[in-house]
Amino acid sequence: MFRQRVIHLLLIFVILLTQPGCWSSKEIEDLSVYTGLALDKGEPEALEQEFEEHGGGYQKHNKVTATVQIVPERTIGNSGKDGETSKTHYNNISETGDSLLEVFRQFSIRKNRPIIGHHLKVIVISEELVQQEKIRRLMDFVLRDNDIRPSCLIFLSQGRASDTLMTTEEEIPSFRLAEMVRNNFRTSKVMKGITLSNLDALMYSKQSFVLQNVVEAQGEIEFSGAGIIKGDTGRWIGNLDQHDVESIAWIKGDINGGSIKAYDQSNDSITYEIKSVKSKITLNETDDKKISFHVAIESTGRLIENWDVDEHSSNVVYLKELEKIFEEKLTQHIHALIRKMQSTYKVDVAGFGDWYSIEKPHVWKQIKDHWDEEFTRIPVTFDLKLKITDFGSTSD
């Protein structure tokens, strides 16, 4: 009996020795986990200026103001009771300088806990800043830092980026912003999220690209179009609106959901809900070596809303008329995008260069460094076919 107990104790001891453990782990309460990062043009806040007046300054150029959103932020008291502090779920803290690493280290002399970026969800960069500084410079530290995950999402803001990390709601703004990308299956106005790893590849290729724009008003945020980053300069050059973002998705055939709203002959609104989209880009070359692109788009959908109560949705002739109206509306949006790409901004942000590199890889090596310029001279034609397959649960 004694021998069995000794054997059991030895087995338990051996099992405990072989179990893995986090010897270097730290309690989350002892850390400041930041989930959002906003980058703005360097403008020190009043608090920073006061610190500097009291000897808290150091050698730097005020090129960028970095704002981190720290969660969870411990507070005392519950909201709604007299004499107690309202509960907050996060805390935003800003610092200005010319090195993000140095800025982050400065947070360590202002906070009682070190900040860590293992759970960084979103990075928002103001258009004003990326118009002034190359995006590669701004992202150099976060790309090198092993703490920051490559799945972090990247956005642009039309106003102050730090404003997008504040909200009047009882939720963490950085979490909300990351979760809003999931609405891509409902509307093609929401781009598929551009992650840090995606951004690294885009910057390395030196091709022009777009990032989803975030706008803020009265403590609320929404996605509104996209900002264009010029490939050869790495700087912001202008914006595309919501219809342009949708048109890019149509050209790429990268649509999970959405709709087209138009107006019929009576000026009543009609709405086409997208069920499926197929797109094919063809590179054509004539005998005299002239290049052109042709985009064939096919879609099926339903007539989901019709304000003309005098017409019957089950009427085949009427449905054909509506299909033509929807095709014309989509054609207008796509042609408007092509004009902006080839005439206004002189960039390709719809993926035509990707097809060129596949079809003519040897030629692509020679022109890829000045592809935007080449693209402005290449004709693009379209063939759109939209088919209404049903009209919802009513035929009236």
Side-chain angles (χ1 to χ4, degrees):
M1 193 72 174
F2 175 77
R3 185 179 180 182
Q4 288 181 344
R5 288 182 179 177
V6 171
I7 293 174
H8 287 162
L9 289 172
L10 287 173
L11 286 173
I12 292 172
F13 181 72
V14 171
I15 291 172
L16 288 173
L17 286 176
T18 57
Q19 292 300 304
C22 298
W23 302 105
S24 61
S25 66
K26 295 181 180 180
E27 295 296 332
I28 192 169
E29 290 83 3
D30 298 329
L31 300 170
S32 291
V33 179
Y34 68 95
T35 58
L37 171 62
L39 301 177
D40 287 296
K41 181 181 177 181
E43 295 177 355
E45 296 181 343
L47 179 60
E48 292 181 68
Q49 295 176 16
E50 190 171 345
F51 279 144
E52 291 181 4
E53 291 174 2
H54 289 81
Y58 61 95
Q59 185 179 4
K60 62 175 180 175
H61 300 289
N62 292 328
K63 289 189 174 182
V64 57
T65 295
T67 303
V68 294
Q69 184 157 95
I70 299 171
V71 295
E73 187 69 12
R74 291 184 296 183
T75 57
I76 300 173
N78 298 316
S79 59
K81 295 183 180 180
D82 294 337
E84 293 183 344
T85 316
S86 297
K87 182 180 179 182
T88 57
H89 302 279
Y90 64 90
N91 178 42
N92 292 352
I93 181 172
S94 301
E95 187 76 26
T96 304
D98 52 7
S99 164
L100 281 184
L101 175 60
E102 188 175 36
V103 165
F104 283 14
R105 294 299 183 261
Q106 285 297 113
F107 290 139
S108 297
I109 64 176
R110 292 177 57 182
K111 301 287 292 182
N112 63 330
R113 292 169 290 172
I115 64 170
I116 60 169
H118 297 98
H119 300 284
L120 181 60
K121 302 293 184 184
V122 298
I123 298 175
V124 186
I125 312 170
S126 72
E127 292 174 353
E128 185 179 20
L129 176 62
V130 80
Q131 187 178 15
Q132 175 180 294
E133 300 288 346
K134 292 184 177 182
I135 193 169
R136 184 78 202 188
R137 288 182 178 181
L138 301 172
M139 292 291 99
D140 189 69
F141 166 71
V142 295
L143 285 168
R144 294 173 186 269
D145 189 3
N146 290 328
D147 285 351
I148 298 175
R149 297 176 180 176
S151 58
C152 172
L153 295 169
I154 313 297
F155 301 98
L156 293 178
S157 68
Q158 292 187 3
R160 292 284 295 178
S162 57
D163 291 343
T164 65
L165 295 184
M166 294 186 289
T167 179
T168 57
E169 303 292 331
E170 291 186 3
E171 58 184 330
I172 299 171
S174 51
F175 285 6
R176 180 187 184 186
L177 195 53
E179 291 169 358
M180 285 170 62
V181 174
R182 300 176 185 175
N183 292 331
N184 175 264
F185 81 101
R186 284 294 191 185
T187 172
S188 48
K189 295 177 182 178
V190 176
M191 296 171 53
K192 284 189 174 180
I194 301 296
T195 65
L196 191 58
S197 58
N198 296 147
L199 181 65
D200 190 24
L202 290 168
M203 292 188 300
Y204 180 79
S205 69
K206 295 185 178 180
Q207 293 186 48
S208 299
F209 59 93
V210 291
L211 292 173
Q212 185 91 64
N213 256 333
V214 185
V215 294
E216 181 275 337
Q218 300 182 24
E220 293 286 336
I221 56 173
E222 76 167 16
F223 292 146
S224 182
I228 303 172
I229 305 297
K230 180 74 170 172
D232 56 358
T233 65
R235 288 185 167 92
W236 174 86
I237 61 169
N239 286 321
L240 299 177
D241 62 29
Q242 296 181 22
H243 290 311
D244 296 326
V245 170
E246 288 183 304
S247 296
I248 291 174
W250 278 97
I251 291 172
K252 292 183 175 182
D254 193 13
I255 292 182
N256 296 320
S259 61
I260 301 174
K261 187 193 73 174
Y263 296 93
D264 63 13
Q265 302 297 335
S266 302
N267 203 32
D268 290 316
S269 63
I270 51 176
T271 307
Y272 173 90
E273 184 180 19
I274 302 166
K275 293 172 65 176
S276 69
V277 173
K278 292 182 180 179
S279 176
K280 183 179 180 181
I281 300 177
T282 305
L283 179 64
N284 299 317
E285 184 176 7
T286 61
D287 294 336
D288 55 354
K289 303 298 181 179
K290 290 185 177 180
I291 300 294
S292 65
F293 285 109
H294 181 73
V295 184
I297 298 175
E298 295 182 0
S299 172
T300 61
R302 62 171 55 93
L303 179 62
I304 196 64
E305 189 173 11
N306 183 3
W307 280 41
D308 189 348
V309 295
D310 295 328
E311 292 287 352
H312 293 282
S313 302
S314 57
N315 187 320
V316 176
V317 175
Y318 179 62
L319 286 182
K320 293 297 181 183
E321 292 178 1
L322 297 187
E323 288 174 353
K324 293 297 181 184
I325 294 174
F326 288 128
E327 288 173 359
E328 290 173 2
K329 176 59 67 173
L330 180 57
T331 299
Q332 291 174 9
H333 289 164
I334 293 179
H335 283 169
L337 169 67
I338 296 298
R339 284 195 299 271
K340 289 179 182 179
M341 289 197 298
Q342 292 191 321
S343 300
T344 305
Y345 298 116
K346 294 179 171 52
V347 293
D348 168 28
V349 292
F352 289 101
D354 295 334
W355 282 97
Y356 198 108
S357 65
I358 293 171
E359 295 292 329
K360 293 183 172 295
H362 299 295
V363 180
W364 174 253
K365 291 180 180 179
Q366 301 172 11
I367 66 172
K368 65 178 183 179
D369 292 335
H370 50 91
W371 168 245
D372 284 338
E373 182 182 350
E374 290 286 337
F375 177 69
T376 60
R377 298 190 288 266
I378 299 177
V380 182
T381 57
F382 292 89
D383 180 23
L384 279 65
K385 293 182 180 179
L386 274 61
K387 183 174 180 59
I388 299 174
T389 57
D390 66 86
F391 33 78
S393 58
T394 179
S395 60
D396 294 335

